[in-house]
Amino acid sequence: MTTPSTPDPATESDPPSVILGVGGGIAAYKACEVLRGLTETGHRVRVVPTASALRFVGAATFEALSGLPVRTDVFTDVPEVPHVRLGQNADLVVVAPATADLIAKAANGLADDLLTNTLLTARCPVLLVPAMHTEMWEHPATRANVATLRERGVVVAEPASGRLTGADTGRGRLPDPAEIVELSRLLLARREALPRDLDGRRVLISAGGTREPLDPVRFLGNRSSGRQGYALARVAAQRGAEVTLVAANADLPTPAAVHVVRVGSAEELRTEMLRRAPDAEVVVMSAAVADFRPTLRAEHKIKKGASDPAALELVRNPDILAELVARRTPDTVIVGFAAETGDDAGDVLHHGRHKLQRKGCDLLVLNEVGEGRAFETEDNEGWLLYADGREQTLPRRAKSELASMVWDGVFPLLHA
């Protein structure tokens, strides 16, 4: 069987040209990490800060990291017409942080420096990543400006929650720089804005791998890192969904605008998923759940004695996906995941099709697993198998890109 694989268009031509705008907020220092993340993944990045941003981070820092000159005004290099050319020639414009002032200017078409001129001339995807105090983010003026920009096709990312300037805590924190880089790469791959087609939808996702304790030290587990489930949560939140992520043993940053519930074992995962599923419109079981657990858990560490250890007795864990399907409400869309290998009985697709029939979910994401595939990797590939018999190949892509393809498949099912 041939595994799905399609070359990444970004590697077949010149490096994508990215404009990184930097607003004048304390989070401007994190733009350096965004810049490094983009350049290290093969992008040509030109930094265009506001004059206020340079009071937080000097031009020399951005120039050293990007290898390109930094300008803030429209009167430098006038023959090159930078206030027009930068936006015209960009494949993506990212502004991080986007302050309340900068968002207001963008929404009202003001152009008083090089960055705001660039935003007016850009015909590529534009990503604004807000960073401000909670009161500013929730102010009616800011909310109206964000709505206006989104109506025009600008991607205004959902901010994170956490520590703000001083002792304040709340929503409005700049998302993790690695998350901004992933969103940027996703927009470059899509070559279009990320839709808000899940706006207000309640989504429940499981991620990671469960661990079944043998004793206080050891456990039975699997190699799932949780990256694919986290990518699904991240993309769903940025497409407008209200996302709850039940994470089993995943050591990853919390995605912006996602509520994370942490669990350890299959039983704990089952409890949380069954409790929260009735309120969800979409349930995604991407966690790798251990099929078996020890019958007994030792109270103390099992010592290595002179004799061989006792045989390990196992009991089957509940089939959480099957229970979710059995208890579903009529309007709930359920997405399952299957990690398969081929064997004498059939190839990966054969096993995936049978699993879809057994589980009864609406959509099954099928991955072929093995060394360097699916688990503990930055990218993924596979198939989407629909309950109505349709099948779609998922070419090898970054996990955020694959997550976006999954949500593209889920959206029509919400309206079926």
Side-chain angles (χ1 to χ4, degrees), residues 67-88:
L68 295 171
V70 170
R71 304 286 186 269
T72 64
D73 66 284
V74 298
F75 297 106
T76 305
D77 298 328
V78 171
E80 300 297 325
V81 201
H83 72 290
V84 173
R85 294 287 180 263
L86 289 177
Q88 287 179 335

Side-chain angles (χ1 to χ4, degrees), residues 111-240:
D112 59 357
D113 62 4
L114 188 55
L115 178 53
T116 48
N117 273 270
T118 300
L119 290 173
L120 278 182
T121 58
R123 294 299 179 265
C124 58
V126 175
L127 170 63
L128 302 183
V129 189
M132 63 194 75
H133 265 65
T134 306
E135 293 85 355
M136 300 173 75
W137 172 249
E138 294 177 348
H139 194 282
T142 303
R143 304 309 300 159
N145 290 332
V146 169
T148 296
L149 289 166
R150 285 173 173 167
E151 288 173 3
R152 294 176 186 162
V154 175
V155 179
V156 183
E158 294 292 335
S161 297
R163 184 71 177 269
L164 305 171
T165 305
D168 293 341
T169 299
R171 195 173 183 199
R173 180 183 174 92
L174 191 77
D176 187 84
E179 183 170 353
I180 299 172
V181 172
E182 282 300 306
L183 285 173
S184 301
R185 293 177 63 188
L186 175 57
L187 291 176
L188 282 166
R190 291 180 64 94
R191 294 189 174 95
E192 61 181 359
L194 203 62
R196 296 284 297 183
D197 51 3
L198 299 177
D199 200 15
R201 297 287 190 174
R202 299 181 304 279
V203 172
L204 175 65
I205 303 171
S206 69
T210 63
R211 296 178 179 180
E212 311 305 320
L214 296 170
D215 63 19
V217 177
R218 305 175 182 89
F219 60 84
L220 295 178
N222 56 65
R223 296 168 57 186
S224 175
S225 64
R227 288 190 182 98
Q228 187 62 75
Y230 270 65
L232 286 160
R234 180 188 309 118
V235 174
Q238 297 301 343
R239 289 172 77 150

Side-chain angles (χ1 to χ4, degrees), residues 17-103:
S17 176
V18 178
I19 300 299
L20 175 59
V22 183
I26 185 61
Y29 76 94
K30 294 184 179 180
C32 297
E33 297 179 58
V34 177
L35 172 56
R36 184 177 292 279
L38 287 169
T39 56
E40 288 182 348
T41 51
H43 303 82
R44 184 178 185 272
V45 186
R46 174 81 176 262
V47 181
V48 182
T50 64
S52 297
L54 293 183
R55 301 186 69 175
F56 293 95
V57 181
T61 300
F62 291 131
E63 290 178 339
L65 291 174
S66 69
L68 295 171
V70 170
R71 304 286 186 269
T72 64
D73 66 284
V74 298
F75 297 106
T76 305
D77 298 328
V78 171
E80 300 297 325
V81 201
H83 72 290
V84 173
R85 294 287 180 263
L86 289 177
Q88 287 179 335
N89 297 332
D91 296 306
L92 174 69
V93 176
V94 183
V95 181
T99 61
D101 176 70
L102 193 50
I103 288 173

Side-chain angles (χ1 to χ4, degrees), residues 338 340 347-357 364 366 385:
E340 290 289 350
D347 61 14
V348 172
L349 269 172
H350 169 82
H351 291 299
R353 289 163 181 155
H354 279 271
K355 179 166 286 189
L356 175 62
Q357 292 176 357
L364 186 76
L366 174 62
L385 306 183

Side-chain angles (χ1 to χ4, degrees), residues 236-399:
Q238 297 301 343
R239 289 172 77 150
E242 300 173 8
V243 183
T244 297
L245 178 64
V246 181
N249 308 296
D251 186 20
L252 298 168
T254 298
V258 172
H259 174 59
V260 177
V261 179
R262 303 194 181 279
V263 297
S265 67
E267 283 289 353
E268 292 172 355
L269 180 68
R270 173 180 178 269
T271 298
E272 290 296 336
M273 293 299 291
L274 293 181
R275 182 167 72 87
R276 298 171 185 274
D279 295 326
E281 295 169 83
V282 184
V283 178
V284 183
M285 268 297 297
S286 65
V289 182
D291 292 325
F292 303 95
R293 68 180 185 273
T295 305
L296 298 174
R297 174 186 174 180
E299 293 297 325
H300 306 285
K301 179 184 175 183
I302 301 171
K303 302 297 192 292
K304 181 172 65 176
S307 59
D308 291 336
L312 182 63
E313 294 186 6
L314 302 176
V315 62
R316 187 182 297 275
N317 270 325
D319 188 330
I320 303 174
L321 178 56
E323 287 190 83
L324 289 168
V325 171
R327 301 186 186 192
R328 69 188 300 172
T329 60
D331 296 329
T332 305
V333 175
I334 298 184
V335 181
F337 268 67
E340 290 289 350
T341 60
D343 56 26
D344 293 340
D347 61 14
V348 172
L349 269 172
H350 169 82
H351 291 299
R353 289 163 181 155
H354 279 271
K355 179 166 286 189
L356 175 62
Q357 292 176 357
R358 292 198 313 272
K359 302 293 186 180
C361 50
D362 301 290
L363 182 63
L364 186 76
V365 183
L366 174 62
N367 300 131
E368 183 174 11
V369 295
E371 193 65 34
R373 288 180 174 173
F375 289 150
E376 300 177 313
T377 63
E378 298 293 337
D379 54 19
N380 203 357
E381 61 184 331
W383 297 265
L384 289 182
L385 306 183
Y386 293 82
D388 62 8
R390 289 178 294 134
E391 297 181 356
Q392 176 186 342
T393 299
L394 299 173
R396 182 174 288 274
R397 290 287 186 269
K399 287 185 173 178

